[in-house]
Amino acid sequence: MKSRMLPYLAALLAVALLAGCGGGKDDRNAAAPSAASGTAVASQSESTPSEGAPATASSASSAPAAPSDSQRALSVAAKDVVEALRDRDLKRLASWIDPKLGLRFSPYAAMTEADQIFKPEALPSFKSPDKIKWGTADGSGDPIELSFRDYFDKFVYDKDFDTAPSVSANKLVGKGNTVYNGQDTYAGSSFVEFHFPGFDASADGMDWESLILTFVQDGSDWRLVALTHAQWTI
C-alpha cells in the first residue's frame, strides 16, 4: 500500500516545488517597476540646478556696462581737440568744427549772445593783431577786447588741459555761481570737461579751472560747437 502511494506523493511534491519557483519569479518582476521609477527620480534630481547656483542672467547684469560706440567716439573726439588746442593747430581744430553751427568761444561757463562764433573757414589767425570783443569781464563788467591769440591764451588754453587730472563726459565737476548751459543752448549735445581742482592750497579750491568742449552728433560723428572756459566767478 505504502509502495503504491510513493509515486503519487512524489508527483505532488514536484508540483509544489514548481509553484514555489513560479511565485518567486513573479515577485522579482513586480519589484522591477519600483527600481526603474527610483532611477528616473534620481536622474531628474541631478538635472535640477541647486538653489545656491547663481543664474546666468543675474551674473551678466552685475557686470559693468561697456561704453557704447558713441561714448568711445566722443572720448576720441575730445582728446584730439584738446591736443589740437595744446599744439595751437588751428587747421586740425577746424576739421572738428560743425560746418553749420560754427564754433562758439565762451569766456565763462554760461554761454551768452555776446559770444563770438566762427565757421571752420573763418577762424581768426594767431598772427592777426585785430582786437575782437568777446563779451564782458566777470566782476568789472568791462568789455573783453583781445586779439585772437591773447583771448586763446587767457580764455581757452591758459592751463595745460591735456594733462588735467579730471576728465568727465556729461558730468560737470567744476561748479560755481555761473552755470554751464551748453546742453540748453545746443539741444541733444554732449560735453567733455577737462578740470583742474585748484593750483594753490591757500585758495581752498577757489582757483579751480575747466575747459569744456561741447559737441553735437552728425550721424555717427561728433562735431565741435563750443569752447567754454569755466572758473570761479564773482
Side-chain angles (χ1 to χ4, degrees):
M1 176 73 176
K2 290 181 180 179
S3 62
R4 287 197 300 269
M5 291 291 292
L6 286 174
Y8 179 72
L9 292 173
L12 290 175
L13 181 60
V15 171
L17 289 172
L18 288 173
C21 291
K25 185 176 179 180
D26 290 343
D27 290 342
R28 287 193 299 272
N29 289 340
S34 297
S37 176
T39 302
V41 171
S43 176
Q44 183 179 2
S45 176
E46 290 170 4
S47 65
T48 302
S50 64
E51 293 181 2
T56 303
S58 175
S59 299
S61 64
S62 64
S68 66
D69 290 342
S70 178
Q71 289 172 322
R72 285 192 292 268
L74 178 64
S75 177
V76 169
K79 180 63 175 174
D80 199 65
V81 167
V82 81
E83 288 178 355
L85 296 173
R86 177 198 64 194
D87 299 339
R88 300 317 201 248
D89 189 341
L90 295 183
K91 184 177 180 180
R92 186 175 171 189
L93 176 65
S95 70
W96 284 103
I97 299 174
D98 186 275
K100 295 180 180 179
L101 297 174
L103 178 60
R104 176 189 296 266
F105 289 83
S106 180
Y108 302 108
M111 299 178 184
T112 71
E113 293 182 357
D115 297 338
Q116 290 288 339
I117 300 174
F118 300 97
K119 295 294 179 66
E121 67 279 4
L123 273 178
S125 168
F126 282 134
K127 296 179 181 180
S128 174
D130 296 340
K131 291 187 177 182
I132 301 171
K133 185 176 179 180
W134 303 92
T136 56
D138 172 63
S140 68
D142 294 336
I144 301 173
E145 294 182 341
L146 300 168
S147 68
F148 180 64
R149 175 179 288 278
D150 289 342
Y151 177 87
F152 188 97
D153 290 342
K154 185 174 183 178
F155 290 105
V156 177
Y157 208 84
D158 63 318
K159 297 292 187 294
D160 191 6
F161 289 105
D162 180 46
T163 63
S166 173
V167 180
S168 58
N170 296 320
K171 182 180 180 181
L172 202 62
V173 177
K175 296 179 181 179
N177 52 1
T178 302
V179 181
Y180 168 74
N181 60 348
Q183 291 183 308
D184 294 326
T185 306
Y186 297 96
S189 65
S190 288
F191 68 87
V192 177
E193 179 189 24
F194 295 82
H195 176 75
F196 282 101
F199 305 92
D200 185 349
S202 64
D204 197 25
M206 301 284 282
D207 58 342
W208 65 268
E209 284 193 33
S210 291
L211 175 64
I212 306 173
L213 313 181
T214 305
F215 294 86
V216 295
Q217 273 193 299
D218 179 15
S220 60
D221 298 325
W222 288 98
R223 295 295 183 186
L224 182 68
V225 292
L227 294 175
T228 300
H229 186 273
Q231 63 187 67
W232 187 264
T233 53
I234 298 173

